[in-house]
């Protein structure tokens, strides 16, 4: 395969680039606009790998994307490019509409034009995978059945609404034009290279800095946690075996309350980076809940397991410990991200 990974310098995208290259991919082209969460350091292990090409740019730039598709003979597009943080979408929704909706539309149109002109065998093999979120489904009550591929969309935040709109566009481009699209809706990811505004890396960073560990509301919001490496394995399986036009829900079978997650992180830090005579849990502080905060998400990944033979390798306990240890071992990366030093590097190299 020759794969174009958009948003490939972000958290999940960079892990997927690594997954592809470690699995022997022939060529991976990473396209990333390097906004606040895009960090070339996430791809540092492949800086000298001839199979990997990094391009700074946006999916809104149709001329750039079209040129990349032709120049590299792309066989698969995997679209991670998105504004993805709910709190940011509440404060400033416009960039979410531009990137997540308009950007997906432009990418689909470039992909359709490129795919239409391919030879028949290449047309049959081509795939476009839209990587989406369980937040498009809204919220679940404590006793509700988990989300699956038949669940109606009920987004509750500007971020979720923009991703839902993008998912609808992808479906329409398959139904109307025949573009061989696939869509995945995943639960909350965690693991290496996650920008420290998300819950798990935020708590690790603040705990080590001696700061308060903020927990929204009563901390009883429930999320289904999926280790990013399991997610990457699922995406590869969807590309290889998924049926064009289908959607696949990807979850980790690991429902936890936010408060339980924070306490688990504190317990791991107590073991691996102990304080003198006290627990990191003493730093937990409850803060005002955010507007429209969904109470529970949970994914039923039964279709993916039955039809494509995937299941998660990591339990939440094993995955969380691996994640905490990664952040403890990569203090330089965390400091560069939290201080903004990586932005200086980007400005210097991509002026």
């Amino acid at each position: 395969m020759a794969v174009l990974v958009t948003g490939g310098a972000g958290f999940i995208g960079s892990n997927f680039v690594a997954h592809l290259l470690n699995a022997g991919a022939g060529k991976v082209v990473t396209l990333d606009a390097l906004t606040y969460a895009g960090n070339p350091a996430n791809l540092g292990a492949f800086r000298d790998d001839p199979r990997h090409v990094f391009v700074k740019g946006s999916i809104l730039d149709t001329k750039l994307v079209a040129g990349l598709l032709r120049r590299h003979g792309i066989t698969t597009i995997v679209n991670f490019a998105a504004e993805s943080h709910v709190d940011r979408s509440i404060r400033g929704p416009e960039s979410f509409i531009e990137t997540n909706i308009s950007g997906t539309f432009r990418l689909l149109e470039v992909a359709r034009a490129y795919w239409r002109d391919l030879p028949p065998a290449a047309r049959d093999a081509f795939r476009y995978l839209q990587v989406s979120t369980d937040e498009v489904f809204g919220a679940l009550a404590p006793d509700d059945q988990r989300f699956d591929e038949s669940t109606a969309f009920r987004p509750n935040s500007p971020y979720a609404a923009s991703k839902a709109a993008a998912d609808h566009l992808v479906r329409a481009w398959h139904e109307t034009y025949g573009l061989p699209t696939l869509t995945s809706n995943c639960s909350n990811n965690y693991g290496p290279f996650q920008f420290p505004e998300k819950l798990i890396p935020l708590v690790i960073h603040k705990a080590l800095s001696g700061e308060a560990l903020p927990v929204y509301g009563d901390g009883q919001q429930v999320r289904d946690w999926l280790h990013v490496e399991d997610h990457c394995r699922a995406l590869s399986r969807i590309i290889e075996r998924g049926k064009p036009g289908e959607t696949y829900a990807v979850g980790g079978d690991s429902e936890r309350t936010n408060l339980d997650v924070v306490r688990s992180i504190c317990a791991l830090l107590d073991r691996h980076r102990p304080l003198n005579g006290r627990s990191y849990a003493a730093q937990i502080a409850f803060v005002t809940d955010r507007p429209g905060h969904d109470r529970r998400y949970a994914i039923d990944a039964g279709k993916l397991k039955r039809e494509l033979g995937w299941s998660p390798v990591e339990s939440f306990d094993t995955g969380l410990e691996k994640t905490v240890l990664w952040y403890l071992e990569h203090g330089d990366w965390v400091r560069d991200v939290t201080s903004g030093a990586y932005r200086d590097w980007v400005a210097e190299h991509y002026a």
Side-chain angles (χ1 to χ4, degrees):
M1 293 192 301
V3 186
L4 174 63
V5 180
T6 68
F11 163 47
I12 306 176
S14 62
N15 276 278
F16 187 64
V17 169
H19 171 80
L20 289 174
L21 292 169
N22 289 332
K27 177 176 283 188
V28 178
V29 179
T30 297
L31 176 67
D32 199 291
L34 297 182
T35 54
Y36 73 95
N39 186 351
N42 297 357
L43 302 166
F46 306 101
R47 187 172 291 119
D48 299 321
D49 192 323
R51 299 171 300 153
H52 181 236
V53 177
F54 177 80
V55 179
K56 181 181 183 296
S58 170
I59 58 174
L60 291 158
D61 187 342
T62 55
K63 183 177 179 180
L64 172 63
V65 176
L68 292 175
L69 295 177
R70 293 192 301 269
R71 188 177 315 124
H72 297 285
I74 296 299
T75 63
T76 304
I77 297 172
V78 184
N79 184 28
F80 292 96
E83 299 286 348
S84 64
H85 193 254
V86 172
D87 287 348
R88 285 179 181 264
S89 80
I90 293 170
R91 293 196 301 269
E94 185 170 359
S95 62
F96 287 73
I97 303 305
E98 181 180 25
T99 300
N100 299 358
I101 302 178
S102 297
T104 298
F105 161 70
R106 293 190 186 186
L107 186 60
L108 285 166
E109 280 292 85
V110 172
R112 180 166 72 95
Y114 170 76
W115 166 76
R116 188 179 55 217
D117 293 338
L118 290 172
R123 281 171 54 94
D124 290 343
F126 182 84
R127 294 292 184 270
Y128 173 108
L129 172 59
Q130 179 78 4
V131 182
S132 189
T133 172
D134 58 359
E135 295 197 37
V136 300
F137 302 123
L140 292 168
D143 298 326
D144 285 349
Q145 295 294 312
R146 293 177 292 172
F147 301 133
D148 63 17
E149 295 79 5
S150 65
T151 304
F153 284 13
R154 297 182 61 187
N156 290 325
S157 70
Y159 161 62
S162 68
K163 290 295 287 185
D167 289 2
H168 285 312
L169 290 174
V170 172
R171 172 182 168 81
W173 259 241
H174 173 74
E175 294 294 329
T176 302
Y177 303 113
L179 186 68
T181 63
L182 301 153
T183 301
S184 63
N185 295 94
C186 69
S187 58
N188 277 34
N189 277 222
Y190 67 101
F193 299 113
Q194 189 169 29
F195 198 78
E197 65 183 0
K198 302 289 187 173
L199 178 63
I200 289 175
L202 177 72
V203 169
I204 296 169
H205 173 65
K206 285 187 173 294
L208 296 174
S209 301
E211 300 177 43
L213 309 182
V215 176
Y216 279 131
D218 60 5
Q220 296 305 302
Q221 303 87 357
V222 173
R223 300 294 181 262
D224 176 12
W225 293 92
L226 173 68
H227 193 275
V228 67
E229 292 176 4
D230 279 326
H231 188 195
C232 291
R233 285 186 280 267
L235 297 176
S236 284
R237 189 64 58 88
I238 291 167
I239 293 167
E240 293 163 4
R241 303 184 188 179
K243 180 181 177 183
E246 291 291 309
T247 295
Y248 297 91
V250 189
D253 288 331
S254 296
E255 289 188 59
R256 298 288 191 284
T257 68
N258 287 347
L259 184 57
D260 284 341
V261 171
V262 174
R263 286 172 171 162
S264 295
I265 294 169
C266 291
L268 287 167
L269 290 174
D270 287 342
R271 186 191 318 161
H272 294 290
R273 189 68 63 83
L275 295 168
N276 292 324
R278 69 177 180 86
S279 170
Y280 288 95
Q283 296 168 221
I284 293 174
F286 294 91
V287 299
T288 302
D289 210 352
R290 72 184 179 202
H293 199 173
D294 292 333
R295 196 66 173 171
R296 173 178 171 241
Y297 305 142
I299 285 282
D300 178 353
K303 176 180 176 179
L304 186 57
K305 295 174 182 178
R306 291 189 307 272
E307 297 185 8
L308 305 188
W310 171 90
S311 60
V313 172
E314 299 289 349
S315 69
F316 184 71
D317 291 337
T318 62
L320 186 63
E321 183 161 24
K322 286 174 64 174
T323 301
V324 168
L325 289 173
W326 187 90
Y327 281 96
L328 291 177
E329 293 164 3
H330 291 81
D332 289 346
W333 182 91
V334 175
R335 281 190 293 273
D336 282 349
V337 170
T338 54
S339 70
Y342 81 105
R343 302 300 308 156
D344 297 335
W345 188 93
V346 169
E348 178 182 348
H349 286 78
Y350 294 100

